Amino acid sequence: MDSRRASRMVIDPKPKVRQVGFFTPGAPPERTKSSPAESLSSPPTSDMSPAGNSLSPVMIPPPRHASDNLSSSLGLNSSRVLPVPVPMSPIRRPSTGDNLNLPLGSYNPSESLLGTSLSPSSGFDDEGLSEDTSTSGWFVRGNPGKVASSFPSGGFDTTAMKSRNIPVVSNLTTVSVVKMPPGLSEKGGTLVEVQHEQVRDSKLKEKTSKAERRALQEAQRSAKAASRAEGSKTAATSGGVTAANAKPAKAKASQKKEGSSVASSDRKGPEKDRKKDVPHPRMQFDDKQRVEKAKRRAVVKQTEARNRVELFRHLPQYEHGTQLPDLESRFFQLEPMHPSVYKVGLQYLSGDTSGSNARCIAMLQAFKEAIKDYTTPPEKALGRDLTAKISSYVSFLIECRPLSISMGYAIRFLKNRIAKLPLTFSETEAKATLCSDIDRFINEKIILADKAIVKHAVTKIRDGDVLLIYGSSCVIEMILLHAHELGRQFRVVVVDSRPKLEGKALLRRLVSKGLCCTYTHINALSYIMHEVTLVFLGASSVLCNGTVYSRVGTACVAMVAHAFRLPVLICCEAYKFHERVQLDSICSNELGDPDVIAKVPGREDVDHLENWANNENLQLLNLMYDVTPSDYVSMIITDYGMIPPTSVPVIVREYRREHLWM
Amino acid sequence: MDFQVVVLAGGTSKELVPLVSKEVPKALLPIANRPVLSYILELLEASNLKDLIVVVEGEEAAVRVGGWITGAYVDRLHVEVARVPEDVGTAGALRAVAHHLTASDILVVSGDLVCDVPPGAVAAAHRRHDAVVTALLCAVPVSGPSETGASGGKDKAKKPGRYNIIGLDPTTQFLLYIATGAEVEKDIRFQKSILRAVGQMEIRADLMDAHLYAFKRSVLQEVLDQKDTFNSIKQDVLPYLVRTQLRSELSSNGMSQAEENWNGKVASQDNQALSSQQLPPGMIPTVPSFHELYAFCPNGSSPPKRTHKCCVYIASKGKYCARLNSIQAFSDINRDVIGEASHLSGYSFSAHNNIIHPSAELGSKTTVGPQCMLGEGSQLGDKCSVKRSVIGRHCRIGSNVKVVNSVIMNHVAIADGCSIQGSVVCSNVQLQERVVLKDCQVGAGYVVTAGSEYKGESLARKEKSQS
């Protein structure tokens, strides 16, 4: 927390100074004057800026705005005139301090009450107060005294003033202490909220209207701030300007970030945001500093593999066999991790669960369990705390194995649902809603989607067909079995590849159901392709340019099939579609355990690559995925029907939004 | 992580007479001057398992163990001591505390285990496979002080055939067969169904069951309820679970509750006749264990059979793991803990690779060799020699005494000219002048008269040895 605050403190003044200079000619001298006290004044201003940020975009702007106006109209300026000389003449400082305390001291208790109960937005999010009630609440409390009526801005002023005055009055400090924690706790959550909000905004295409509103608001605020700065030049004004100015920057950043993974939404602070101006789809593992940093955060102990292939240095690769024992032995130390999440992580790490559907379902089930057992800690809002929890689970799962694209979508869905929970919901209601949402997601997006795909794909299988399949995709298995049940006469060629030999298990199941199968390895592809009439392939993801991101070897199969002028049908659920565009399989991929390609299962005597890691000149590459260009794909069978690869963007554009908002 | 720990601290073991007595139950036998129970408690504490149930047989033993735990672990661990009548067996002990168990999985640890295998690893393996039981197996420790070269209790150690026959699947993750040495006669019977399902079984005799199990609570309670003749975990419960793993009779078996619910839900929503195998497309791991293959594969249309998984976690070679279940083991563990497995003892060794308490007094020309331990307040006369031995607190040892490969507990008085080799001398024993002990055990409070020589005998006061 402290470090984050510090960074904010350092970062904030820069744009502020620049912007203030731009807006109001009077401000720069104010800066220079207050420079000796700046170090003191900055903590409260930094405290303000998040508050301003958090308040304005979410829902508070109208009340805040009104109350600001009110405060200025109520002649609070007169009270604000008092602080003016403070930075200028240190002699008068104590007296002004007294002056300030006299009117405000009596209201301090109520103020602290307000600060704790109302001012953190989490407070009324929780209680489900709407905008109106909260404003009315403020006004009601504001009415008794004029000074207190100016609370939203005036209250902040006092704290700012207090810390600026070096001889601090004790009862004021206590107020700040009371006030700080909600501000702090609020910060983490609200920023996430802000980002969600903005992602949502841009998605909704309300962006223009919202932006307009915001622009208007900012203009008003800056104008007001300028007038105030001219008149008084208090720290509070500069803080207000900061709040106003930091916001568009943040909005920009988060809008830029919209495409990047949701998991990154737990990053905080404008510094990080600015770095994100350059989009980082994922961490580049050849960047030493970042890797070091990530390692320190990591839950799973990760030893980087030594002999890594030059071209793939940017992808994470760890010594296999080091992570699992370590993670296992610290089973009981990882307190914050929910057991079911932990179990899923172990299964990812050990390879017990693989395949993007399986992993996605396992993850969602684990999250469901975690949500069931979740209780909101005191003084926190379910929406925010749960989002943070889910984020930490996700980062743990990423450490176990990089996320598949389907999982990224599921996570985004879940976080969206959490963010969209009605504020009036009690905790049990919210949890029940989320659990049923997860069930619905699994059902609609995976199980029913698979059924739809089966229904579509079966129409393409005719009697006498020879189908070629590669790897082990559960939806393709379902298609074949369904076609078999319908009584179609066809033959299946199961093409498999080392090192996973996933086809074997599939072959076993198919044969046990009475299908006529041929099993071969990918080496014999060009031979076996002669007899094939139709190629069915699964996919891990389909990208926006029609590129199919799938198990390594898929591209090869598709290319050979294309050369033989055979139709290549890709079966992929629509939730795995992704808006990314990828031209090669280098920039984004996953590296498997290189040891498994060095060894031949069942042949202990074939050990020519023993101790390969000690050889400097040898690097093994075990890629997990490859991309198939859309040229080789005849058709993509998805739950919305059979589409050409060029229509993927349409699905992504038209249906994706509806998914997230279902 | 939703685990509960039950430590079975036992009572007074018959095999350890005359070392154990009413005053010193098995759990409090000193290993390097610390009760053996402290090793497992500290291991659990290091794994962040601070909520324990310790089950002790016998009232007096329970009081003593409870008293010791309160003194040693106050503010560190939250321990509840449960007392069970003697001779109920390990299963009976669990039965007695069954109603206290609420977590989804239970870690059952024997109190006489001295090891450094993190229990979390066992728990993680258990969770990963969603097993009903996971057992910790470790390599059988080298018995007897063979590596020392000294003539230890080797001739005396009557190798009781204490090995296990353990059948594992090729991935060495699943337990297919287990039998303890006592049951093994000439033939071993394996089940065809398991063999057929797995295809290949590896039979090992070099592994030892460390008596650290992770159980699924529902299963454990069900088995304990239904089979009230079961007396021992190792001999009854575990073999039963292993035997029935492919024809599970458990109602809440293999599949976790959530999974089952989910399957049920999906099944109810799907009335289309897709076979049960595809309903949970995600729940079939791409690398299915033989259980899944067996359950789903063989006869096409038959409904999937109920199976459950019995897993093992095999400790890696470098880990130390031993159980204090015999006198031989007692001296072995004592030697190892101050010797090769010295990281377990928690003491810091001096430059001479031994531990001498600062308050211990050594006479002139007395040598204390490496891998020795000298407790607080012990006094050694002149010209003594101590090698590879543990000497407890407040012992008074005269001059010209030789102690080799032995364990001497607290408050022992040894007169001049004694020679002790490969022996265990319990607390408050008096050895008068020129006693020669070789491979003996001397029970608590015994007085060995001057000049007597014993070899390979067990000396104890009459009433103690009877009880």
Side-chain angles (χ1 to χ4, degrees):
Chain A
M1 276 298 175
D2 285 331
S3 64
R4 210 184 306 134
R5 289 177 66 80
S7 74
R8 175 179 291 282
M9 178 187 90
V10 172
I11 292 305
D12 270 345
K14 284 184 186 169
K16 173 170 63 191
V17 170
R18 233 177 276 138
Q19 300 284 41
V20 166
F22 178 73
F23 280 117
T24 62
E30 179 258 343
R31 267 284 126 201
T32 49
K33 265 176 230 156
S34 64
S35 59
E38 196 167 49
S39 61
L40 277 167
S41 72
S42 34
T45 51
S46 67
D47 194 18
M48 279 197 63
S49 53
N53 278 333
S54 66
L55 289 176
S56 45
V58 185
M59 50 181 59
I60 322 303
R64 179 183 163 81
H65 199 66
S67 61
D68 273 352
N69 283 341
L70 183 89
S71 67
S72 53
S73 66
L74 277 175
L76 193 91
N77 286 337
S78 61
S79 75
R80 236 182 232 137
V81 174
L82 277 178
V84 181
V86 174
M88 293 182 186
S89 57
I91 312 146
R92 283 175 62 184
R93 202 181 279 155
S95 67
T96 49
D98 285 343
N99 274 345
L100 264 178
N101 286 337
L102 276 175
L104 284 181
S106 59
Y107 286 102
N108 271 341
S110 71
E111 204 176 283
S112 69
L113 229 171
L114 276 170
T116 46
S117 64
L118 265 179
S119 79
S121 47
S122 61
F124 37 75
D125 279 356
D126 221 358
E127 290 145 33
L129 290 170
S130 68
E131 265 175 35
D132 300 13
T133 53
S134 67
T135 49
S136 67
W138 282 15
F139 280 123
V140 165
R141 290 182 196 218
N143 278 338
K146 277 182 184 176
V147 188
S149 75
S150 71
F151 164 64
S153 55
F156 284 130
D157 278 352
T158 51
T159 50
M161 288 312 300
K162 165 218 61 183
S163 58
R164 187 175 265 230
N165 294 339
I166 299 154
V168 183
V169 185
S170 66
N171 69 344
L172 270 176
T173 21
T174 52
V175 170
S176 79
V177 167
V178 173
K179 263 181 141 171
M180 292 287 251
L184 278 171
S185 64
E186 164 193 23
K187 206 200 298 181
T190 41
L191 279 179
V192 175
E193 178 71 21
V194 168
Q195 285 169 3
H196 273 291
E197 186 75 21
Q198 273 152 4
V199 168
R200 207 164 52 188
D201 286 345
S202 51
K203 284 250 162 77
L204 257 180
K205 304 216 171 178
E206 273 180 13
K207 192 162 55 181
T208 49
S209 65
K210 190 99 182 187
E212 277 171 12
R213 242 186 294 152
R214 197 178 295 139
L216 190 96
Q217 192 184 310
E218 270 154 21
Q220 284 173 339
R221 197 174 297 163
S222 57
K224 184 189 58 189
S227 68
R228 208 188 290 166
E230 277 176 357
S232 61
K233 296 161 191 161
T234 57
T237 26
S238 64
V241 176
T242 323
N245 288 335
K247 198 155 53 69
K250 183 159 295 168
K252 227 184 288 164
S254 61
Q255 271 164 18
K256 275 217 176 104
K257 216 169 49 181
E258 159 208 333
S260 72
S261 72
V262 187
S264 66
S265 67
D266 55 345
R267 299 285 89 83
K268 293 159 197 107
E271 176 193 26
K272 295 256 172 70
D273 282 346
R274 197 174 306 155
K275 269 185 188 163
K276 287 221 171 83
D277 282 356
V278 187
H280 265 298
R282 52 173 73 181
M283 198 163 93
Q284 302 294 299
F285 280 79
D286 45 0
D287 185 341
K288 281 226 174 74
Q289 282 182 324
R290 277 168 172 275
V291 169
E292 279 303 313
K293 223 184 256 173
K295 227 184 232 172
R296 256 176 276 138
R297 271 203 311 269
V299 178
V300 186
K301 190 182 120 209
Q302 295 165 331
T303 324
E304 295 263 329
R306 277 184 302 155
N307 301 10
R308 290 187 296 169
V309 179
E310 186 65 44
L311 200 54
F312 292 93
R313 289 256 164 102
H314 60 286
L315 298 174
Q317 185 172 19
Y318 307 111
E319 295 274 6
H320 269 257
T322 56
Q323 293 166 291
L324 189 58
D326 176 68
L327 192 60
E328 279 186 338
S329 62
R330 291 188 304 134
F331 183 73
F332 291 110
Q333 273 98 329
L334 296 171
E335 266 312 316
M337 216 49 71
H338 189 270
S340 57
V341 176
Y342 187 89
K343 178 179 157 186
V344 169
L346 275 179
Q347 283 172 341
Y348 287 176
L349 194 53
S350 61
D352 286 352
T353 306
S354 64
S356 61
N357 274 350
R359 283 171 64 194
C360 188
I361 291 177
M363 180 188 72
L364 286 175
Q365 294 284 351
F367 284 170
K368 204 173 90 180
E369 291 296 305
I371 288 173
K372 268 184 197 160
D373 294 349
Y374 172 82
T375 45
T376 317
E379 296 183 14
K380 280 189 179 171
L382 178 129
R384 282 154 198 168
D385 190 57
L386 191 57
T387 312
K389 263 239 150 81
I390 296 281
S391 297
S392 73
Y393 294 158
V394 168
S395 57
F396 167 73
L397 292 180
I398 291 176
E399 283 166 31
C400 292
R401 192 179 158 187
L403 294 184
S404 71
I405 287 170
S406 59
M407 289 160 72
Y409 178 59
I411 293 164
R412 213 172 334 161
F413 162 79
L414 180 58
K415 287 197 175 170
N416 220 314
R417 295 310 299 171
I418 296 173
K420 286 289 288 176
L421 279 176
L423 299 172
T424 48
F425 269 22
S426 70
E427 191 181 303
T428 42
E429 272 178 315
K431 279 157 65 178
T433 316
L434 287 177
C435 287
S436 70
D437 277 342
I438 290 175
D439 278 339
R440 213 148 55 93
F441 182 92
I442 294 175
N443 243 316
E444 287 179 9
K445 294 281 167 282
I446 303 176
I447 294 173
L448 293 180
D450 279 350
K451 275 191 190 150
I453 291 174
V454 169
K455 209 176 281 171
H456 291 305
V458 158
T459 61
K460 292 291 163 196
I461 302 178
R462 282 161 304 183
D463 284 348
D465 265 342
V466 179
L467 312 178
L468 184 139
I469 61 172
Y470 174 72
S472 167
S473 159
C474 57
V475 61
I476 286 177
E477 183 184 344
M478 287 159 77
I479 293 168
L480 298 179
L481 293 177
H482 189 57
H484 183 69
E485 276 166 22
L486 292 179
R488 302 269 157 81
Q489 298 297 316
F490 61 95
R491 205 154 64 80
V492 182
V493 177
V494 180
V495 178
D496 207 352
S497 73
R498 286 193 57 217
K500 283 199 150 185
L501 298 177
E502 291 162 311
K504 275 187 180 173
L506 173 66
L507 182 74
R508 195 183 162 124
R509 292 195 290 268
L510 291 180
V511 171
S512 75
K513 298 280 179 197
L515 274 82
C516 179
C517 295
T518 307
Y519 179 77
T520 183
H521 274 201
I522 199 165
N523 322 36
L525 192 62
S526 59
Y527 163 74
I528 206 79
M529 204 57 96
H530 284 287
E531 16 183 299
V532 173
T533 60
L534 194 58
V535 176
F536 271 111
L537 295 172
S540 173
S541 176
V542 177
L543 307 179
C544 227
N545 54 349
T547 305
V548 176
Y549 184 75
S550 186
R551 186 100 191 78
V552 68
T554 305
C556 171
V557 174
M559 190 177 68
V560 176
H562 182 73
F564 279 81
R565 308 205 182 283
L566 292 172
V568 176
L569 308 184
I570 304 285
C571 301
C572 182
E573 297 86 352
Y575 86 107
K576 292 186 195 165
F577 286 14
H578 198 266
E579 57 266 16
R580 192 194 297 164
V581 169
Q582 207 174 315
L583 300 175
D584 55 41
S585 51
I586 298 169
C587 60
S588 166
N589 210 323
E590 194 184 328
L591 298 178
D593 180 8
D595 277 325
V596 295
I597 56 170
K599 285 189 190 116
V600 183
R603 288 286 303 275
E604 303 296 325
D605 51 321
V606 184
D607 54 355
H608 307 296
L609 286 180
E610 219 180 355
N611 300 328
W612 64 272
N614 299 331
N615 191 339
E616 287 287 313
N617 299 325
L618 177 64
Q619 291 116 19
L620 301 189
L621 177 64
N622 180 12
L623 272 185
M624 301 291 273
Y625 297 101
D626 65 10
V627 299
T628 310
S630 59
D631 304 349
Y632 301 149
V633 179
S634 320
M635 186 193 281
I636 294 170
I637 304 177
T638 174
D639 26 340
Y640 296 109
M642 294 177 274
I643 55 165
T646 46
S647 300
V648 173
V650 181
I651 297 270
V652 171
R653 192 178 64 232
E654 295 300 320
Y655 291 99
R656 179 54 58 93
R657 207 183 312 137
E658 168 217 330
H659 289 177
L660 281 175
W661 288 94
M662 62 183 205
Chain B
M1 281 297 175
D2 209 9
F3 263 86
Q4 255 180 317
V5 186
V6 178
V7 180
L8 302 176
T12 50
S13 164
K14 283 194 188 68
E15 282 156 2
L16 287 168
V17 171
L19 304 189
V20 294
S21 60
K22 284 221 170 65
E23 288 79 40
V24 186
K26 182 181 173 184
L28 298 185
L29 275 181
I31 298 282
N33 290 339
R34 267 170 55 192
V36 61
L37 190 59
S38 69
Y39 289 88
I40 195 70
L41 293 185
E42 245 143 71
L43 181 70
L44 292 169
E45 190 189 14
S47 301
N48 205 14
L49 289 166
K50 299 192 173 160
D51 220 336
L52 319 172
I53 299 176
V54 176
V55 187
V56 188
E57 278 183 3
E59 195 158 347
E60 201 170 336
V63 170
R64 288 186 186 277
V65 171
W68 170 75
I69 291 175
T70 323
Y73 290 97
V74 68
D75 290 345
R76 282 167 70 190
L77 294 172
H78 178 243
V79 181
E80 287 166 56
V81 176
R83 178 178 58 81
V84 294
E86 287 185 57
D87 299 324
V88 291
T90 44
L94 271 186
R95 223 173 259 139
V97 295
H99 56 282
H100 291 297
L101 306 178
T102 50
S104 70
D105 293 278
I106 311 291
L107 210 58
V108 179
V109 194
S110 172
D112 59 1
L113 182 67
V114 179
C115 81
D116 54 358
V117 181
V122 181
H126 182 71
R127 275 281 162 78
R128 179 153 73 87
H129 293 293
D130 204 9
V132 297
V133 59
T134 303
L136 169 65
L137 301 182
C138 54
V140 176
V142 187
S143 188
S146 53
E147 75 274 15
T148 65
S151 62
K154 203 146 201 195
D155 40 354
K156 206 226 126 218
K158 37 183 194 287
K159 286 265 183 182
R162 198 178 284 285
Y163 51 86
N164 301 294
I165 302 289
I166 289 167
L168 301 171
D169 80 316
T171 59
T172 64
Q173 285 177 329
F174 298 106
L175 190 58
L176 307 177
Y177 182 82
I178 187 160
T180 41
E183 298 165 18
V184 178
E185 292 161 8
K186 274 182 185 161
D187 315 325
I188 311 174
R189 288 174 179 275
F190 292 104
Q191 279 166 292
K192 248 188 202 165
S193 58
I194 292 183
L195 266 180
R196 199 180 296 137
V198 188
Q200 196 180 345
M201 189 196 288
E202 192 179 321
I203 295 179
R204 310 265 300 252
D206 61 339
L207 292 173
M208 182 188 86
D209 183 358
H211 283 219
L212 195 160
Y213 310 103
F215 281 103
K216 185 163 281 187
R217 176 185 53 89
S218 52
V219 169
L220 182 67
Q221 283 177 339
E222 196 182 327
V223 171
L224 290 177
D225 280 350
Q226 286 175 358
K227 316 277 175 185
D228 37 346
T229 52
F230 281 6
N231 192 30
S232 146
I233 294 175
K234 183 187 168 64
Q235 276 158 20
D236 299 319
V237 178
L238 186 61
Y240 167 77
L241 287 174
V242 171
R243 231 170 26 236
T244 57
Q245 58 183 316
L246 290 185
R247 45 183 173 84
S248 179
E249 295 154 14
L250 308 166
S251 56
S252 51
N253 65 353
M255 288 184 166
S256 74
Q257 215 62 36
E259 216 169 299
E260 204 140 46
N261 287 345
W262 186 67
N263 283 350
K265 195 176 288 172
V266 173
S268 63
Q269 283 167 357
D270 284 344
N271 23 25
Q272 205 174 330
L274 286 166
S275 80
S276 61
Q277 175 184 358
Q278 296 133 30
L279 286 179
M283 282 308 156
I284 297 181
T286 22
V287 193
S289 74
F290 69 93
H291 295 95
E292 278 101 11
L293 289 177
Y294 179 79
F296 292 122
C297 240
N299 308 323
S301 59
S302 67
K305 298 178 183 70
R306 288 177 158 273
T307 57
H308 59 247
K309 292 181 193 171
C310 301
C311 295
V312 290
Y313 178 84
I314 299 179
S316 57
K317 282 274 188 296
K319 298 286 187 190
Y320 183 80
C321 192
R323 286 192 60 220
L324 173 53
N325 50 10
S326 67
I327 291 171
Q328 180 62 46
F330 177 74
S331 25
D332 286 348
I333 295 172
N334 259 307
R335 193 189 57 238
D336 290 341
V337 163
I338 52 169
E340 54 189 298
S342 54
H343 57 281
L344 278 170
S345 65
Y347 297 106
S348 52
F349 285 78
S350 72
H352 299 292
N353 200 16
N354 54 19
I355 312 153
I356 297 175
H357 197 274
S359 63
E361 293 171 26
L362 272 70
S364 67
K365 289 192 181 169
T366 288
T367 56
V368 178
Q371 303 187 6
C372 280
M373 180 163 181
L374 220 58
E376 179 190 349
S378 284
Q379 302 168 357
L380 264 74
D382 301 338
K383 291 185 188 169
C384 287
S385 149
V386 180
K387 286 176 190 162
R388 307 179 74 92
S389 296
V390 178
I391 295 175
R393 300 182 189 88
H394 305 291
C395 290
R396 281 174 290 111
I397 297 176
S399 312
N400 256 326
V401 174
K402 268 190 187 169
V403 182
V404 181
N405 258 326
S406 297
V407 179
I408 292 171
M409 296 187 195
N410 305 331
H411 302 286
V412 175
I414 299 176
D416 298 351
C418 288
S419 162
I420 302 162
Q421 249 189 19
S423 299
V424 180
V425 180
C426 291
S427 301
N428 301 317
V429 167
Q430 262 190 299
L431 300 186
Q432 293 173 350
E433 281 85 6
R434 298 180 310 284
V435 167
V436 178
L437 293 178
K438 196 158 184 256
D439 308 328
C440 290
Q441 295 88 42
V442 186
Y446 194 81
V447 181
V448 184
T449 49
S452 48
E453 268 185 47
Y454 293 99
K455 193 174 177 189
E457 278 183 67
S458 172
L459 310 168
R461 278 192 285 176
K462 264 286 183 284
E463 66 275 12
K464 290 292 174 203
S465 61
Q466 272 170 357
S467 67

